[in-house]
Amino acid sequence: LTIAARKRFAFEEIFYLQLKQYREKVEAKHSLAYPITITKSDLDDFIETFPFTPTEAQLHAIDSILKDLSKKEPMGRLLEGDVGSGKTFVAAVIAYAVLLSGTEKGGKNLQIAYMAPTEILAKQHFESFIHYFDGTNVEIGLLTGSGCAKFPSKTESDKVAKVSRKQLTSWLTDGRISIVIGTHSLIQESIQFESLALIIIDEQHRFGVKQRKLLATKKGEKRKELPHLLSMTATPIPRTLALTLFGDLDLTVIDAMPLERKKVITEI
């Protein structure tokens, strides 16, 4: 009898969790998004700037995400891949696709918010994106609890400038900053965007419709568009568990490591 009762309570907990996730998915599907009308062939020149050949798994992930982005309803996708499998590369290519769609297809300048779990990771991604977008004239911001920065500097095109939070917030509101990388500081009420099209979450698994609306809405304005969401994790999650915990997200797995990738060594 005890075992039967435990199974019943376990079923009920999972049932209500899945029901909540399904309601969020339906709510997202009934929202509008900025359709990103870019194909992978449009991205070849950008991909060729990277000093390695993408794996088939990375290209497959890019294809599946681009198909989602082309729809009128907002994407919700979980990208799973081991450390070193190239998730950040995929995120950079998708970010470039969003920016390219906004500027070259006659639309408005679109923005991307990239949220990392720690300040150290946020700063690492900031440095990586500066390198990835070198020569593209894309303005990139860093927003963390300990300070803000912007690339490029106003006076030197190859330097990072430290800026005040007020100044960076103003540039986000008027759309000058195209990509902002930060911690949970990004979802503070004072942070507003001109046209936020994509949110990338690194190891921040539960980020629902409500948080996306908070980021996308400017003060005094109810925005129709809900940002696309790309959530990334290096935690190996069995597909059945992923469907239970992340039922509102579609799942893409990068299941191959780059051939030239060195072995990851973790030790004290």
Side-chain angles (χ1 to χ4, degrees), residues 79-206:
L79 181 63
E80 179 188 322
D82 203 356
V83 174
S85 61
K87 296 187 299 298
T88 307
F89 161 73
V90 172
V93 173
I94 295 305
Y96 183 76
V98 170
L99 299 182
L100 193 63
S101 180
T103 56
E104 291 202 352
K105 300 295 181 177
K108 64 197 304 184
N109 292 331
L110 302 179
Q111 294 170 289
I112 296 108
Y114 192 133
M115 190 182 300
T118 66
E119 287 196 14
I120 292 175
L121 257 178
K123 290 175 182 176
Q124 287 178 351
H125 288 318
F126 179 61
E127 292 169 0
S128 296
F129 269 61
I130 288 173
H131 179 66
Y132 297 156
F133 286 84
D134 182 36
T136 62
N137 297 320
V138 171
E139 299 203 20
I140 305 172
L142 174 68
L143 194 156
T144 67
S146 63
C148 300
K150 173 188 167 292
F151 179 87
S153 164
K154 189 175 181 180
T155 55
E156 298 179 83
S157 61
D158 60 343
K159 300 292 184 182
V160 174
K162 288 187 177 182
V163 297
S164 67
R165 177 179 291 262
K166 183 178 180 180
Q167 181 64 79
L168 186 66
T169 300
S170 173
W171 286 335
L172 288 173
T173 303
D174 64 21
R176 176 174 172 178
I177 298 288
S178 297
I179 301 175
V180 61
I181 300 169
T183 56
H184 261 88
S185 300
L186 287 174
I187 58 175
Q188 292 179 355
E189 191 175 340
S190 60
I191 308 301
Q192 308 291 326
F193 289 84
E194 168 64 26
S195 49
L196 182 62
L198 172 66
I199 301 170
I200 302 171
I201 309 291
D202 194 356
E203 297 291 356
Q204 298 280 333
H205 301 311
R206 286 290 3 121

Side-chain angles (χ1 to χ4, degrees), residues 241-259:
L241 182 60
L243 289 173
T244 300
L245 296 178
F246 312 112
D248 55 327
L249 304 178
D250 298 310
L251 180 64
T252 295
V253 180
I254 301 180
D255 55 4
M257 298 290 281
L259 294 175

